Amino acid sequence: MDTKTKEQFVHSVFESIAPKYDLMNDIISFRRHKAWREFTMRKMNVQPGETAIDLCCGTCDWTISLAEASRSGKMVGLDFSQNMLDIGAEKIGRLGLDKQISLVRGNAMDLPYEANSFDYATIGFALRNVPDLVKVIEEMQRVVKPGGMVVSLELSKPTWQPFKSLYYFYFQKVLPLLGKLIAKKYDQYKWLPESLVHFPDHKQLADIFRSTGLTDVRVYPLFSGIAALHIGFKPKAADGHTGEW
């Protein structure tokens, strides 16, 4: 599947599964995705007033967590699925965070922001779906300030047997059937395990982070490797200059 075809296909998948997206996330991860995000937020240690852009923000759960941690810092949630953003906007409105969070329909490979704009750039459970993950990581690094943090929380590949075999059986055989039963979307949930096949494992992804120029790359495999958190930092200027004038 070429880059353009993948982009169009993934867009159609997420537009169609938006109404059941949150429910299916709970089922897919056995509700662990919330604990993983809480773990990630502890590692990020967002401070009051800090800013972030949340790429492929979906229905905005992580965007909201970032805003609540920052309290006053401006947040951007960016996604290419308007249906996802609409659901996220409802959540944000109910919580009274619409003045703090801006939602933007856009492309994660071509962010409409100047360099050195945010303290953090995050992407949750979406890096495996983008046509060019290296380009996305480079864009995340570009828009964070020197010393800023690039963060990916993503499904990964467990290595421990026999858990690995059980996991792949569930992910490849059971999950699409659950998608058909609960969300009435079989092909779309068949795609999700397929998206992981060619995705790098947590060690390979760490190497990709480093290859883009990120430093002090930290990797945290989660729940026997089902998921992994990757954190990297944008280098500060050699002379100590922060890149802001």
Side-chain angles (χ1 to χ4, degrees):
M1 189 182 296
D2 62 36
T3 297
K4 190 64 177 177
T5 302
K6 180 176 180 179
E7 185 174 355
Q8 293 171 341
F9 176 74
V10 173
H11 179 263
S12 70
V13 166
F14 283 93
E15 284 281 82
S16 66
I17 68 175
K20 298 287 186 180
Y21 179 77
D22 289 339
L23 173 62
M24 288 301 296
N25 271 356
D26 285 347
I27 293 170
I28 290 169
S29 70
F30 306 102
R31 293 184 65 85
R32 295 304 300 165
H33 69 102
K34 296 180 180 180
W36 297 337
R37 189 169 61 248
E38 290 172 0
F39 174 82
T40 300
M41 290 297 295
R42 290 196 297 273
K43 292 298 182 183
M44 291 175 66
N45 192 27
V46 177
Q47 297 300 301
E50 290 186 321
T51 60
I53 180 169
D54 185 22
L55 275 64
C56 307
C57 64
T59 58
C60 299
D61 284 348
W62 198 356
T63 323
I64 289 168
S65 294
L66 290 163
E68 290 175 336
S70 172
R71 301 180 190 172
S72 60
K74 295 298 183 182
M75 299 290 149
V76 172
L78 180 141
D79 203 288
F80 67 168
S81 169
Q82 189 60 51
N83 289 347
M84 289 284 195
L85 291 173
D86 289 344
I87 294 171
E90 292 179 7
K91 294 179 183 178
I92 290 166
R94 288 197 300 269
L95 293 169
L97 295 172
D98 42 321
K99 292 184 178 179
Q100 188 183 357
I101 299 174
S102 300
L103 296 183
V104 176
R105 186 176 182 185
N107 187 337
M109 297 185 296
D110 185 17
L111 299 178
Y113 296 95
E114 295 181 358
N116 310 323
S117 295
F118 302 95
D119 295 300
Y120 304 89
T122 63
I123 185 166
F125 304 107
L127 194 57
R128 71 188 186 282
N129 294 319
V130 301
D132 187 339
L133 68 89
V134 173
K135 179 62 176 173
V136 171
I137 295 169
E138 289 174 344
E139 276 290 273
M140 294 172 76
Q141 181 177 178
R142 181 183 67 80
V143 299
V144 296
K145 302 170 184 176
M149 193 181 294
V150 172
V151 185
S152 169
L153 177 60
E154 182 57 275
L155 295 178
S156 192
K157 299 176 180 179
T159 57
W160 177 64
Q161 291 288 14
F163 179 75
K164 179 179 179 180
S165 297
L166 292 171
Y167 172 73
Y168 276 108
F169 175 79
Y170 166 76
F171 206 45
Q172 295 174 341
K173 303 296 184 183
V174 178
L175 173 58
L177 296 177
L178 290 174
K180 181 179 181 180
L181 177 66
I182 297 169
K184 312 302 181 188
K185 304 290 182 183
Y186 177 81
D187 290 339
Q188 289 83 350
Y189 281 95
K190 186 173 181 291
W191 153 256
L192 293 181
E194 290 175 355
S195 70
L196 193 58
V197 171
H198 301 293
F199 190 71
D201 63 28
H202 69 272
K203 293 181 180 178
Q204 293 168 331
L205 186 56
D207 287 340
I208 293 172
F209 264 52
R210 296 184 187 100
S211 73
T212 66
L214 292 169
T215 62
D216 193 17
V217 175
R218 306 170 187 181
V219 186
Y220 304 90
L222 303 168
F223 204 65
S224 298
I226 281 182
L229 167 63
H230 288 74
I231 295 174
F233 294 83
K234 182 173 182 173
K236 294 182 178 180
D239 62 358
H241 175 57
T242 64
E244 299 176 271
W245 296 95

